[in-house]
Amino acid sequence: MNQNVFIGRQPILNRTQEIIAYELLFRDGSGENAANFDDDVLATSRVMVTVLSSIGVNRVLGDKLGFVNINEKIIEKHI
């Protein structure tokens, strides 16, 4: 797997088409602009670690809310 980690931001709009939040998505940097991963827990953890430590929440989200998809494995592991 590529060592680069990229974060995709999918805008979440309100009824008047204003951006109110972003869904943060994992991208592996393979050049395909796709989420190519075998382990969804690893992909989600990379999104969180990259945003929190490398890029910074304010730089990624500004004054907007941020959402990350999680599944029961992540909840059970208390990540």
Side-chain angles (χ1 to χ4, degrees), residues 16-32:
T16 60
Q17 301 301 304
E18 297 172 306
I19 298 173
I20 59 167
Y22 293 102
E23 177 184 6
L24 302 179
L25 307 163
F26 170 76
R27 296 293 182 258
D28 69 1
S30 65
E32 299 173 12

Side-chain angles (χ1 to χ4, degrees), residues 13-70:
L13 308 175
N14 64 13
R15 291 179 188 188
T16 60
Q17 301 301 304
E18 297 172 306
I19 298 173
I20 59 167
Y22 293 102
E23 177 184 6
L24 302 179
L25 307 163
F26 170 76
R27 296 293 182 258
D28 69 1
S30 65
E32 299 173 12
N33 192 21
N36 297 315
F37 55 88
D38 296 322
D39 183 340
D40 54 346
V41 173
L42 178 61
T44 299
S45 65
R46 284 188 175 183
V47 168
M48 292 189 283
V49 167
T50 300
V51 168
L52 294 174
S53 65
S54 300
I55 301 172
V57 174
N58 289 336
R59 193 166 172 202
V60 173
L61 299 174
D63 63 347
K64 308 297 185 225
L65 295 172
F67 294 90
V68 176
N69 282 323
I70 61 171

